[in-house]
Amino acid sequence: MTAGLRDGVRRGFSAAEPAAVTAALQYAREHASRFTGELAELVRIPSVASSPRYAPDVRRCARWLALHLARIRIGPVRTVEAGGRPIVMAETPGRPGRPSLLVYGHYDVQPAEPIAPWSVPPFGGVIRGADLYGRGTSDDKGQFFAHLKAIESWRMTTAVPLRIRVVLEGEEEVGSASLLRLLRTRPSVFACDAAVISDMTMPANGRPALTVGLRGSVSMELQVDGAETELHSGNFGGAVPNPLQALCGMIAALHGPDGRVRIPDFYRAVRSRSRRERERFSAMGRTHMEVLRDAGAKAPWGERGFSLEERVTIRPAVTVTGISDVYSGPGVKAVVPARATAKINIRIVPDQDPWQIADAASHFFASLTPPGITSRLRVLSTAAPAGVDPSGPAAMAARRALRLGFGREPILQRVGGTIPVVSELQRLGVVPLLMGFARPSDGIHAADERIHLPHFHRGIAASIRLMDELSKLPVRPRTAAPGVSWNGGRHVSVA
């Protein structure tokens, strides 16, 4: 065991532990190397949901997880088909008079391409120093696996102190359609007092955080068509409309020189923030240089008048994420393309409605479409923004667990990412506990994605503590309105 790994395992302990907690933590410490090896095995399965090429691997990953859950005796395991990729579910035995916890994670991963920037095989599960490399290590296999290992540590020593439902989906990176369908048609499957979700970063190495705000998301595809076929650029260039040039002009019109989005009414529902609120955000978040460092960027860009941290947490943003249907191979292809398509992702903040934003974007692009060109905007996925009251009993239990697991007081942070299931769970009255174990520099969605193994093992310790802390809370009255007793007295939606 490396020095960094030993440090990560030791952090979970403190004096005067309850015997059951001590036993679970000791089990996690003794099996730390095996836990790491099992995570590496899971990472080696290329469960890319967005490509039909990997469909067999997505199913293989679901089978691996189902067998693993059965092997560590979490409880009855089942695989649910909800019209898409498999959802793996399990449930521990109930504990009368104690709360219930949902453990959510997603086993699908982003594509690894382009491969050239990777210094290790993307699905190699390679360990370098104190880091495990591979697509999905931080997003999200390593993070949810920490909770599974915490459950195992309880099951193999005493007993899990509260009822736990495990839900692992295979479509989060493509919009969670199957899970959301299941959640809306069979909400009883997700009926728990709280849900722990670890699919986000910590603010810095060794610094735990409870995430209290997520942005929403609208992913779209803008298709622009010209002639029926590609045309010889010598014979027709300069004489007929070029859909690629039209697309580039439409994209260029998205932002003004001040970095603001030019879609009409885009900011209409965006909350104005007081000076005090913005100062508090600044104190909680990263500095200008920290954001640039984490991104590996040389210069900032975006909406003027706001710090970089504000731009990625409490302000909406439009990002062009890809262009396709045009030649991008080596050498020359002298044609006027027949079609060009752009992928566009919009991050939204509280009070912005995903479908209103999509409708506004559709009208905007229609108004920019030049004669001789046709355009079509297709919405690929939507997710609402979400927020958590950090003063509720469940959130306070999570903060105590993070402090004990990592040895430092957690900060409260807002992140710019989106987790589709969070806002849906809130509608059912489930309190989301957003406890991320990845570092900002861990390459999520990028080459050389990795997870810091000391964080993985401290995450296991924090999860063991969370289960103990939640078990001490009173069961929420089922007759109460959603979020009343465990969410600080109200259902909240904060940036």
Side-chain angles (χ1 to χ4, degrees):
M1 188 185 297
T2 66
L5 185 54
R6 284 195 300 269
D7 175 62
V9 174
R10 278 199 301 264
R11 284 293 182 97
F13 291 83
S14 67
E17 296 285 2
V21 176
T22 300
L25 291 169
Q26 184 63 35
Y27 179 92
R29 181 178 187 179
E30 292 172 354
H31 294 84
S33 295
R34 174 172 62 82
F35 290 175
T36 299
E38 290 169 342
L39 175 58
E41 184 180 345
L42 177 60
V43 168
R44 293 185 186 113
I45 304 175
S47 48
V48 181
S50 61
S51 172
R53 170 189 170 192
Y54 292 102
D57 295 300
V58 172
R59 292 192 168 274
R60 179 160 63 96
C61 191
R63 288 194 300 272
W64 189 98
L65 286 166
L67 289 171
H68 189 76
L69 290 172
R71 187 161 52 247
I72 63 179
R73 299 187 300 186
I74 284 183
V77 181
R78 55 184 172 143
T79 300
V80 177
E81 300 282 349
R85 298 156 188 86
I87 300 170
V88 182
M89 307 179 72
E91 186 171 344
T92 64
R95 299 297 298 269
R98 296 191 183 184
S100 55
L101 175 68
L102 176 72
V103 172
Y104 164 86
H106 68 90
Y107 63 85
D108 64 309
V109 301
Q110 284 277 318
E113 290 82 3
I115 304 299
W118 288 79
S119 65
V120 297
F123 297 102
V126 175
I127 295 177
R128 283 184 178 175
D131 294 338
L132 172 65
Y133 285 74
R135 174 61 84 229
T137 47
S138 281
D139 185 19
D140 176 45
K141 292 177 177 178
Q143 298 209 54
F144 78 69
F145 205 63
H147 299 298
L148 301 191
K149 296 293 99 178
I151 299 172
E152 177 185 342
S153 299
W154 281 107
R155 290 286 286 157
M156 298 300 183
T157 53
T158 54
V160 182
L162 72 172
R163 180 171 64 84
I164 296 178
R165 286 178 169 171
V166 175
V167 176
L168 307 173
E169 68 155 317
E171 294 181 348
E172 193 273 348
E173 298 291 3
V174 292
S176 298
S178 295
L179 183 70
L180 295 178
R181 188 180 303 114
L182 182 66
L183 195 152
R184 290 161 185 164
T185 57
R186 297 174 59 191
S188 60
V189 172
F190 302 87
C192 289
D193 293 289
V196 62
I197 299 173
S198 297
D199 192 12
M200 64 284 301
T201 61
M202 304 162 63
N205 188 34
R207 186 65 191 269
L210 183 69
T211 296
V212 296
L214 296 168
R215 291 194 292 185
S217 175
V218 183
S219 291
M220 306 179 297
E221 194 173 73
L222 176 62
Q223 178 181 308
V224 178
D225 291 282
E228 293 183 0
T229 64
E230 293 182 332
L231 300 172
H232 190 294
S233 63
N235 293 337
F236 296 99
V240 297
N242 184 326
L244 177 56
Q245 286 180 243
L247 177 65
C248 290
M250 295 160 79
I251 290 172
L254 275 169
H255 295 91
D258 58 358
R260 284 178 64 85
V261 177
R262 284 177 162 173
I263 297 173
D265 295 326
F266 184 77
Y267 295 99
R268 183 178 60 184
V270 178
R271 301 178 189 177
S272 60
R273 301 287 180 175
S274 68
R275 182 174 181 179
R276 179 175 297 180
E277 284 181 299
R278 295 183 64 183
E279 288 174 350
R280 189 170 71 249
F281 292 155
S282 298
M284 291 166 53
R286 295 168 294 175
T287 66
H288 178 97
M289 293 308 298
E290 285 172 337
V291 174
L292 292 180
R293 180 204 64 201
D294 292 342
K298 297 178 181 178
W301 182 86
E303 187 182 5
R304 291 179 191 167
F306 296 90
S307 69
L308 299 191
E309 184 73 354
E310 287 175 315
R311 295 177 196 179
V312 298
T313 55
I314 64 170
R315 299 297 294 174
V318 176
T319 304
V320 179
T321 59
I323 293 180
S324 61
D325 293 330
V326 293
Y327 183 71
S328 59
V332 175
K333 186 176 183 181
V335 298
V336 177
R339 171 179 294 172
T341 302
K343 292 189 183 296
I344 299 169
N345 178 250
I346 302 179
R347 299 290 168 156
I348 59 175
V349 295
D351 300 331
Q352 287 186 300
D353 178 82
W355 288 103
Q356 288 179 350
I357 293 296
D359 187 59
S362 178
H363 285 89
F364 175 72
F365 289 126
S367 71
L368 295 174
T369 304
I373 293 289
T374 60
S375 65
R376 184 183 70 166
L377 187 69
R378 186 161 67 101
V379 176
L380 303 177
S381 66
T382 66
V388 180
D389 182 352
S391 64
M396 293 303 295
R399 293 163 71 174
R400 289 191 296 272
L402 286 167
R403 181 179 70 249
L404 292 167
F406 282 81
R408 296 185 67 180
E409 189 69 33
I411 70 165
L412 304 177
Q413 69 173 6
R414 290 161 175 81
V415 299
T418 304
I419 305 175
V421 73
V422 172
S423 58
E424 294 295 327
L425 288 172
Q426 285 187 308
R427 289 191 179 98
L428 298 180
V430 179
V431 181
L433 304 174
L434 309 177
M435 300 166 50
F437 305 135
R439 298 172 299 184
S441 59
D442 277 344
I444 291 176
H445 289 202
D448 281 353
E449 182 181 345
R450 55 203 173 273
I451 191 166
H452 194 47
L453 290 173
H455 283 189
F456 169 63
H457 291 284
R458 292 176 199 172
I460 296 171
S463 184
I464 290 171
R465 304 281 196 162
L466 175 68
M467 295 167 192
D468 176 59
E469 292 289 334
L470 289 176
S471 72
K472 302 171 186 176
L473 298 180
V475 176
R476 187 180 63 194
R478 292 300 177 187
T479 56
V484 166
S485 65
W486 273 44
N487 206 26
R490 61 189 183 279
H491 188 78
V492 295
S493 178
V494 297

